[in-house]
Amino acid sequence: MEKEQDVTVAKSAGFCPGVKRAIDKVLELEAAGKKPVYTIGPLIHNKQVTDMLAAKQITAIEAPQDAADKSGVLVIRAHGITPEFQKDVETHGMEVVDATCPLVKHAQNIIAKFAAQGYHTVIVGDGGHAEVIGLLGYAKGNGTVVAGAGEAAKLPHFDKVNVVSQTTQKESDFYATAEEIKKHADECQISNTICQPTKDRQKETVELAKKADLVIVVGGKHSANTARLALLCQGLCPHVQHVETEDELETQQVLRAQKIFITAGASTPNWVIDRVAARVRELRKTGSKTVLRVLQKGWHFLVKNAFYTASAAAALACVCMRLEGLSTDWRLITFAWLFVFTGTAFNRSTEASYAKNKTFLRTASFICAAGALGISAWLGAKTLALCAALLAAGFFYPFRNVITAQLPPLPGTKDFATALGWAFACAFLPAYHYGLLSRKAAYLAIVYTMLLVFMRTVTLGFSSANKDMIIGRENFYKAFGMKKTKWAVTLILASLTAALATLCTLTWKPALVTMLLIGDLYTIFIVIYYYGRNSTRSVKDETLVDGQFFVLWALSGLAALL
């Protein structure tokens, strides 16, 4: 749970595991070049996400025959489908991937089990919802859907009945309905199939909505679980706003409320929640232009628009030059800043969470690319050619699947590519320009930079790993899982520490190595701190993680004075 300015954001807000799993599956298919990807119905009920997926040629259709390209892949969405429809899908001749939520699948199995034993199935849920339609298909034609206790009171008598729930129902309503159904059966089996994430979300909502003057529920207007969450809040708080984006906020209510609680449905991406929360806090700061808040706003601008990251790269370039025994060359330091800014800003301009800054980021990246090319031309024709090739590769990276669609995906490429890019600008180019590539110090600086930057990129991913990053397996932790990723980072950190300690005992640049070893303590702290984090990436996270490069720069500068 995140709280600031009497604005509380629910810890349970955002994608549930079933939705996240379905999105991961379609993104992996897209990354593997299996295009186009079709989903049987919208993957989730959220326009921002479906628009983003459509841009990746992941589109919704109602039936297999609607697929324009029969070489594509059909994905059964998280809601599931009826067994009859599944057979039709699987015999249509296209590759089929089942992304049904495991918890929905569990409900399907329960229904099938008791239906086989002659039980009539009563599903507590929304009759027209895709999940309920799919569940009803497992009742072998012997099922009924009721919305609540009122409809249950009209049911006929059953010899044996199995009561199940749509996975996103309100638990108290389910049990109240089940108690009514008991009156209509000789034997009543109650199967609570409401998923745990829904229970957790509802529990947190009940606890916090009661304490708020205004509840803001973020999510698609066509999302059943989000609408149900908003309805729940209306019975707990005097004012409730159901919004899809920050543009729909009612400003006056936001300003009048003393305490605001923000929650969201299971199909709402966290970057949308973050935008709503940021807008709420911004509105509540209006009219209070203190120096601190102006500085804070300026700092957010610098971090979000890649200026801070580029400065961290420049600081690391200084450290590398000292490791390589070079004097400070401001051309190379400026090149590192421009090169890293270009790659970072351009890649951010392609991400949905930076959509509002897209024009600025893209324009700034092209300007800085021109600056980097100008400096590389100053350094020599070969340097210019090398720099131009790497910048072109950086611009191409977000659109790589246009050419690599038929090639197997390379897991973790984004984190590795970032590490290689920084190593080129901060360590390789200085050694190359001064003809020092044959020295061991140059290789030490290059490997040191690669490992540090790889840890930096992966560590920033820790904070969002269990949330909703709309990315594929190009991120290391997405490809190999959090457990293996943490082991990899721990091993790299231990190796770096051991290498620096060994160099210290060998009296190789003892002052510099000792200072870098001290700086290693900051990196260890950052990694340990983010191992247990579970929130979307923030300005504070980037400030802390990239701060390690400024710490190393300051310590290396101190070493030069000793």
Side-chain angles (χ1 to χ4, degrees):
M1 180 174 64
E2 181 188 343
K3 187 172 182 180
E4 183 185 333
Q5 293 180 295
D6 287 323
V7 177
T8 304
V9 180
K11 182 179 180 180
S12 60
F15 284 166
C16 68
V19 168
K20 192 169 184 296
R21 175 177 174 271
I23 288 175
D24 284 347
K25 277 187 178 294
V26 296
L27 287 173
E28 287 171 14
L29 290 168
E30 187 269 342
K34 295 186 176 183
K35 294 181 181 179
V37 178
Y38 298 103
T39 63
I40 306 298
L43 191 65
I44 61 173
H45 295 132
N46 183 276
K47 186 178 184 301
Q48 290 73 36
V49 175
T50 53
D51 286 349
M52 186 188 309
L53 295 175
K56 292 176 175 284
Q57 296 184 47
I58 302 169
T59 53
I61 57 175
E62 293 303 316
Q65 53 266 34
D66 296 334
D69 188 343
K70 305 303 179 185
S71 65
V73 182
L74 286 172
V75 178
I76 299 172
R77 58 181 172 170
H79 303 96
I81 57 178
T82 66
E84 291 77 14
F85 190 21
Q86 184 150 352
K87 286 180 183 177
D88 179 45
V89 168
E90 291 175 347
T91 57
H92 196 72
M94 296 176 67
E95 182 182 349
V96 177
V97 174
D98 191 350
T100 303
C101 170
L103 298 174
V104 173
K105 187 74 75 176
H106 174 66
Q108 292 173 349
N109 292 336
I110 287 176
I111 293 171
K113 173 186 173 182
F114 284 97
Q117 298 173 25
Y119 283 75
H120 185 92
T121 301
V122 177
I123 303 170
V124 181
D126 305 322
H129 193 274
E131 179 192 328
V132 174
I133 294 171
L135 291 176
L136 196 59
Y138 285 81
K140 298 185 182 299
N142 195 22
T144 307
V145 180
V146 296
E151 290 187 11
K154 302 174 184 177
L155 289 172
H157 184 82
F158 303 109
D159 292 331
K160 297 190 297 184
V161 66
N162 176 35
V163 185
V164 300
S165 177
Q166 182 180 350
T167 57
T168 55
Q169 284 290 304
K170 184 180 177 182
E171 193 168 30
S172 59
D173 288 349
F174 168 72
Y175 280 122
T177 306
E179 286 301 316
E180 177 61 38
I181 295 170
K182 275 185 180 181
K183 302 173 185 177
H184 299 258
D186 296 330
E187 182 182 341
C188 184
Q189 166 68 35
I190 298 175
S191 304
N192 184 350
T193 52
I194 299 173
C195 69
Q196 191 60 47
T198 294
K199 294 176 185 177
D200 293 341
R201 195 185 308 266
Q202 290 175 357
K203 181 181 177 182
E204 185 182 26
T205 298
V206 170
E207 290 176 357
L208 296 176
K210 290 178 180 178
K211 302 174 184 177
D213 304 301
L214 169 64
V215 175
I216 299 171
V217 181
V218 188
K221 295 294 175 64
H222 301 292
S223 167
N225 77 84
T226 306
R228 194 173 294 112
L229 197 62
L231 186 63
L232 172 64
C233 292
Q234 286 172 4
L236 301 168
C237 180
H239 301 289
V240 177
Q241 293 185 27
H242 179 180
V243 302
E244 286 194 355
T245 68
E246 69 275 19
D247 297 329
E248 298 175 11
L249 288 167
E250 294 181 25
T251 304
Q252 291 306 312
Q253 276 192 350
V254 171
L255 293 175
R256 285 196 300 265
Q258 291 186 349
K259 292 185 178 180
I260 296 176
F261 173 53
I262 300 174
T263 187
S267 57
T268 309
N270 272 74
W271 53 266
V272 173
I273 301 169
D274 288 344
R275 282 186 186 175
V276 171
R279 178 59 179 160
V280 168
R281 290 177 179 132
E282 182 183 345
L283 286 171
R284 290 165 74 81
K285 289 178 181 178
T286 301
S288 182
K289 300 287 186 180
T290 65
V291 174
L292 181 60
R293 284 174 179 163
V294 171
L295 290 174
Q296 184 184 46
K297 189 173 182 179
W299 185 251
H300 278 233
F301 175 83
L302 293 175
V303 174
K304 286 185 172 292
N305 291 286
F307 291 97
Y308 179 69
T309 298
S311 299
L316 183 57
C318 290
V319 175
C320 291
M321 281 189 274
R322 285 166 183 159
L323 273 173
E324 294 167 341
L326 295 171
S327 299
T328 301
D329 188 330
W330 288 103
R331 294 175 302 170
L332 293 168
I333 293 172
T334 304
F335 175 85
W337 193 101
L338 293 168
F339 185 88
V340 171
F341 181 91
T342 298
T344 305
F346 187 78
N347 274 276
R348 287 186 180 182
S349 74
T350 65
E351 297 175 13
S353 53
Y354 292 93
K356 286 193 170 182
N357 294 358
K358 178 178 179 178
T359 302
F360 173 80
L361 288 168
R362 195 155 287 188
T363 302
S365 67
F366 287 132
I367 292 172
C368 287
L373 288 172
I375 291 177
S376 62
W378 186 6
L379 297 173
K382 291 183 179 179
T383 303
L384 173 62
L386 186 58
C387 175
L390 290 174
L391 283 172
F395 283 127
F396 166 76
Y397 183 83
F399 314 105
R400 61 201 176 283
N401 287 335
V402 174
I403 294 178
T404 61
Q406 303 305 317
L407 299 177
L410 297 175
T413 51
K414 184 174 183 178
D415 295 332
F416 288 122
T418 302
L420 286 170
W422 281 52
F424 164 76
C426 300
F428 175 86
L429 191 59
Y432 173 76
H433 178 68
Y434 285 100
L436 302 178
L437 285 179
S438 60
R439 293 187 181 181
K440 294 179 181 179
Y443 292 104
L444 172 67
I446 293 169
V447 174
Y448 180 70
T449 300
M450 286 180 61
L451 294 179
L452 273 180
V453 176
F454 177 79
M455 282 196 301
R456 169 248 182 209
T457 309
V458 174
T459 301
L460 281 172
F462 286 164
S463 62
S464 298
N466 298 314
K467 289 290 184 178
D468 65 41
M469 294 184 75
I470 311 295
I471 53 178
R473 289 168 60 85
E474 66 267 24
N475 284 65
F476 191 88
Y477 78 83
K478 278 280 195 176
F480 299 103
M482 284 303 297
K483 187 175 180 180
K484 289 181 180 178
T485 300
K486 288 179 178 180
W487 272 110
V489 170
T490 301
L491 182 62
I492 291 171
L493 192 53
S495 300
L496 273 177
T497 305
L500 289 171
T502 302
L503 288 172
C504 196
T505 60
L506 294 175
T507 66
W508 184 83
K509 297 188 177 180
L512 177 58
V513 173
T514 300
M515 287 301 174
L516 293 181
L517 198 53
I518 293 172
D520 197 45
L521 295 175
Y522 181 90
T523 303
I524 292 171
F525 163 76
I526 288 296
V527 170
I528 293 173
Y529 176 71
Y530 282 102
Y531 262 21
R533 293 275 291 171
N534 184 24
S535 61
T536 51
R537 184 187 300 183
S538 67
V539 168
K540 183 191 78 172
D541 297 329
E542 290 198 47
T543 301
L544 287 174
V545 174
D546 282 345
Q548 65 183 307
F549 303 116
F550 294 102
V551 170
L552 292 172
W553 168 73
L555 290 171
S556 66
L558 182 59
L561 301 175
L562 296 177

